[in-house]
Amino acid sequence: MAALKRRASVAVKIGNVFVGGNHPIVVQSMTNTDTADVQSTVNQTMALAQAGSELVRVTVNTEAAAQAVPKIVDTLDKFGVRVPIIGDFHYNGHILLKKYPDCARALAKYRINPGNVNIGKKHDDNFRVMIEAAIEYGRPVRIGVNWGSLDQALLTRMMDENSRLPEPLDAKEVTLNAIVASALHSGEAAERYGLGRDRIILSAKVSGVQDLIAVYRKLAAQCDYALHLGLTEAGLGSKGIVATTAALSVLLQEGIGDTIRSSLTPLPNGDRTDEVVVSQQILQALELRSFTPQVTACPGCGRTTSTFFQDMADQIQTYLCEQMPVWKGKYSGVEEMKVAVMGCVVNGPGESKHSHIGISLPGTFEEPVAPVYVDGKLSITLRGDRIVAEFIEILNNYVDRRYAERIAETTSV
């Protein structure tokens, strides 16, 4: 694992999860169900948690949603799902938290948007009410600024102040500064009302990659609050994945960020857990955390006109993901395993040697044999129609031998 130096931040406890400090970067996600629909929200939350989401946020926008929250948390608990549930509040959070104490108690954290909690008011009474609820119930908060709902009074004041400078900044720079100022001022206000710094997480989301990097660099340089990273409204498909990866990777590589979310727009009837997988893969690619064994596979070329190696790579990756819940309870470190499934002799043997276990399949016109390498050494050569099944058997034996030994070594220390 990389020994990347992370920015110093205050650790925050959310249910049974720690964010910030020296703790691992946390993956979180958000449901897109109607929270008032208990069954749908429970089902999606369970799917997200099973995929690896360590925090799950739900919208709490109506009285029906607030009333449903305790039922959701209780149902999850009965199924043995202990993932902390975060309440996402906008506009009326001060009303709902006060009117429905069972909701306030059931949630593990509150998300407050300072840009819309005091709409049309010159004071921050609504914000204060929400902070007082967090204090009363011993809950942390995320103060989440979003440039789509930025405090317009603050922005107008900063624009006016900028216009009077001898050398004014451009409007975009002022807007980015206002986003940072909103987060910092709100964090300071929460502390004035009595909320400890170890109960505060800040975020400052925008939808442009370079803008997000600029905002978080500014924010990280001015505070030691734990920070949540996410590119808001990242978009559909490959665009959303690439933009999120580009933005978060730069910041994470600089040691900025304590918890992340990939805010992907799912296709109709798409799988909501995709956002969890993307966040995990970002962290694993940067060697910041490991979640599941990784398969290295070549892209294919004229040497690999058969799709056999592609099918095998897909089968192996699927098998590894399906086995992880079982392996995680039995073996230590298996999530760091690297497996290679290569399509021809050009890079196949070499890439296989660099992995814990690898196979080099025969390419077009090559001899129909598939050498298997284990820990860098040729172990066996497979032939015939059962290559996939035989390789999976070798893989299982390897996991049982290598990682069971690691548990035995750990236990004996």
Side-chain angles (χ1 to χ4, degrees):
M1 301 295 285
L4 182 65
K5 184 180 173 76
R6 284 174 59 192
R7 158 189 171 272
S9 63
V10 177
V12 179
K13 187 178 182 183
I14 306 169
N16 57 356
V17 175
F18 282 93
V19 170
N22 295 319
H23 299 282
I25 296 166
V26 172
V27 172
Q28 62 179 277
S29 60
M30 185 175 183
T31 61
N32 62 355
T33 58
D34 178 358
T35 306
D37 183 341
V38 174
Q39 182 176 342
S40 295
T41 304
V42 165
N43 289 342
Q44 191 173 89
T45 300
M46 290 177 66
L48 291 167
Q50 186 174 15
S53 184
E54 293 155 311
L55 301 171
V56 176
R57 182 159 45 114
V58 301
T59 297
V60 188
N61 58 335
T62 64
E63 294 196 10
Q67 291 172 315
V69 165
K71 300 174 187 175
I72 291 166
V73 174
D74 183 59
T75 304
L76 290 168
D77 187 65
K78 288 177 179 176
F79 279 102
V81 179
R82 307 287 191 266
V83 64
I85 302 300
I86 301 161
D88 192 64
F89 294 98
H90 296 271
Y91 310 112
N92 60 353
H94 58 293
I95 297 171
L96 297 176
L97 284 172
K98 199 167 184 178
K99 186 173 182 179
Y100 297 99
D102 287 347
C103 171
R105 276 189 289 266
L107 293 168
K109 186 181 76 170
Y110 313 148
R111 187 276 175 125
I112 305 173
N113 185 333
N116 59 31
V117 73
N118 295 302
I119 291 293
K121 298 182 181 295
K122 295 182 179 179
H123 51 74
D124 63 354
D125 288 354
N126 296 348
F127 178 83
R128 176 176 50 77
V129 168
M130 297 184 74
I131 296 301
E132 288 173 348
I135 295 169
E136 180 179 356
Y137 298 108
R139 299 295 185 261
V141 301
R142 171 161 71 91
I143 297 171
V145 180
N146 191 307
W147 74 346
S149 50
L150 182 59
D151 183 339
Q152 292 302 300
L154 173 65
L155 179 60
T156 299
R157 186 177 77 246
M158 291 183 67
M159 286 288 187
D160 290 343
E161 291 171 353
N162 179 69
S163 67
R164 294 192 289 271
L165 294 175
E167 297 183 12
L169 303 172
D170 63 45
K172 187 174 187 179
E173 188 71 18
V174 177
T175 300
L176 298 183
N177 289 340
I179 293 169
V180 174
S182 178
L184 293 174
H185 292 169
S186 298
E188 292 163 1
E191 288 195 70
R192 284 198 307 273
Y193 295 136
L195 192 65
R197 186 164 287 221
D198 63 344
R199 294 287 178 87
I200 299 172
I201 297 174
L202 298 186
S203 66
K205 293 188 176 183
V206 298
S207 57
V209 171
Q210 295 294 351
D211 294 330
L212 190 83
I213 293 169
V215 163
Y216 273 95
R217 282 173 173 167
K218 292 173 185 285
L219 189 58
Q222 297 180 56
C223 73
D224 63 355
Y225 292 114
L227 299 181
H228 167 69
L229 301 186
L231 188 73
T232 190
E233 288 90 42
L236 285 159
S238 59
K239 184 268 179 186
I241 294 171
V242 171
T244 295
T245 303
L248 268 57
S249 294
V250 171
L251 293 167
L252 291 168
Q253 189 67 22
E254 294 179 3
I256 299 171
D258 302 292
T259 174
I260 67 172
R261 180 192 172 207
S262 298
S263 300
L264 307 177
T265 304
L267 294 170
N269 301 315
D271 192 341
R272 190 67 168 181
T273 63
D274 287 348
E275 66 177 56
V276 179
V277 175
V278 170
S279 291
Q280 290 178 330
Q281 287 297 319
I282 290 170
L283 294 177
Q284 190 143 354
L286 292 172
E287 298 184 0
L288 293 171
R289 289 188 67 183
S290 293
F291 298 93
T292 187
Q294 298 292 287
V295 173
T296 299
C298 63
C301 65
R303 291 176 175 271
T304 55
T305 53
S306 168
T307 61
F308 180 75
F309 90 92
Q310 297 166 320
D311 293 334
M312 183 171 179
D314 181 55
Q315 289 179 58
I316 296 299
Q317 181 72 74
T318 301
Y319 180 78
L320 292 171
C321 291
E322 291 174 347
Q323 285 296 110
M324 264 311 294
V326 178
W327 286 346
K328 193 172 183 180
K330 294 175 60 178
Y331 305 115
S332 172
V334 68
E335 67 276 2
E336 298 174 12
M337 182 173 65
K338 292 180 173 59
V339 179
V341 181
M342 303 298 292
C344 74
V345 298
V346 173
N347 293 315
E351 195 68 55
S352 295
K353 291 175 185 177
H354 289 303
S355 299
H356 291 105
I357 181 170
I359 185 169
S360 178
L361 297 168
T364 307
F365 305 123
E366 290 177 9
E367 186 180 354
V369 297
V372 175
Y373 293 82
V374 177
D375 289 332
K377 297 179 181 178
L378 178 63
S379 173
I380 191 173
T381 299
L382 302 179
R383 297 176 173 83
D385 299 330
R386 297 192 68 255
I387 287 178
V388 175
E390 290 175 0
F391 183 72
I392 288 178
E393 185 177 346
I394 294 168
L395 181 62
N396 284 330
N397 291 335
Y398 178 80
V399 169
D400 187 56
R401 183 181 72 255
R402 177 184 174 91
Y403 297 101
E405 288 175 354
R406 287 188 61 174
I407 284 186
E409 291 169 2
T410 302
T411 304
S412 65
V413 173

